[in-house]
């Protein structure tokens, strides 16, 4: 076997191992979302004087995104990451509606980093564009749920997260 063939087979093996690692990481993240949703459901009765009663919707949404992501892993890594990114983004939008004028929108940057880490620079770019459009649309809502300053810093975090997610891939 030539050196070139050996290097080619080693590269193919390494790429397959990386995909397995990515699938395991998405699987663990899905379990983490289900756990976070369950934990939030348990803490809501204790903290009713601090957080709105409707926070149970966020808890259920997080758990549902985790369950759907685990099921989507059977279809492939890209589908699972796409469902996870969209689901968490919509959950963050619900949190922005529940907690207006708070810096919850900064969490959208984590979605961009996560997507970029698993789907590469194209996924990172697509997530950053989508999250930017979502953030700009949120600034246009009446009553105002996000201030222009929060939107600016949210966009800054999104676009700083895009290359960071790509570098993690």
């Amino acid at each position: 076997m030539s050196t070139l063939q050996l290097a080619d087979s080693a590269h193919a093996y390494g790429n397959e191992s990386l995909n397995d690692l990515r699938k395991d990481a998405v699987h663990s993240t899905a379990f983490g979302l289900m756990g976070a949703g369950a934990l939030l459901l348990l803490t809501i009765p204790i903290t009713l004087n601090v957080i709105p009663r409707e926070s149970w919707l966020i808890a259920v949404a997080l758990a549902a995104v985790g369950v759907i992501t685990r099921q989507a892993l059977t279809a492939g890594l890209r589908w699972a990451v796409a469902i996870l990114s969209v689901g968490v983004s919509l959950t963050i939008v619900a949190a922005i509606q529940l907690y207006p004028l708070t810096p919850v929108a900064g969490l959208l940057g984590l979605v961009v980093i996560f997507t970029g880490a698993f789907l590469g620079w194209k996924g990172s770019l697509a997530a950053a564009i989508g999250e930017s459009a979502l953030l700009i649309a949120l600034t246009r809502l009446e009553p105002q749920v996000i201030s222009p300053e929060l939107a600016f810093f949210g966009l800054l975090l999104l676009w700083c997260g895009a290359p960071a997610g790509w570098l993690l891939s």
Side-chain angles (χ1 to χ4, degrees):
M1 183 182 289
S2 72
T3 308
L4 188 58
Q5 289 172 333
L6 185 63
D8 188 47
S9 67
H11 177 69
Y13 176 74
N15 194 20
E16 192 62 37
S17 296
L18 184 59
N19 271 344
D20 290 341
L21 177 68
R22 287 177 175 164
K23 283 183 180 180
D24 289 343
V26 170
H27 190 264
S28 298
T29 304
F31 269 124
L33 283 175
M34 289 185 283
L39 186 64
L40 183 58
L41 272 176
L42 292 174
T43 59
I44 288 173
I46 300 168
T47 59
L48 272 179
N49 57 345
V50 180
I51 62 174
R53 177 172 284 143
E54 294 81 16
S55 295
W56 68 270
L57 293 169
I58 295 171
V60 171
L62 284 174
V65 168
V67 169
I68 294 169
T69 300
R70 281 199 56 229
Q71 294 299 319
L73 270 172
T74 58
L77 180 67
R78 290 186 188 274
W79 281 107
V81 172
I83 287 172
L84 183 65
S85 297
V86 169
V88 170
S89 295
L90 293 177
T91 304
I92 292 170
V93 168
I96 290 170
Q97 293 290 327
L98 281 176
Y99 309 108
L101 302 175
T102 59
V104 177
L107 295 173
L108 292 171
L110 295 176
V111 174
V112 172
I113 291 172
F114 182 85
T115 306
F118 288 103
L119 298 181
W121 71 269
K122 292 177 184 175
S124 186
L125 182 64
I129 291 170
E131 301 294 347
S132 295
L134 186 63
L135 198 56
I136 291 169
L138 285 171
T139 60
R140 307 266 186 220
L141 287 180
E142 288 296 329
Q144 187 177 23
V145 293
I146 188 167
S147 69
E149 294 84 13
L150 286 174
F152 171 76
F153 285 110
L155 288 170
L156 188 65
L157 282 172
L158 287 176
W159 287 100
C160 287
W166 169 66
L167 288 173
L168 287 172
S169 67

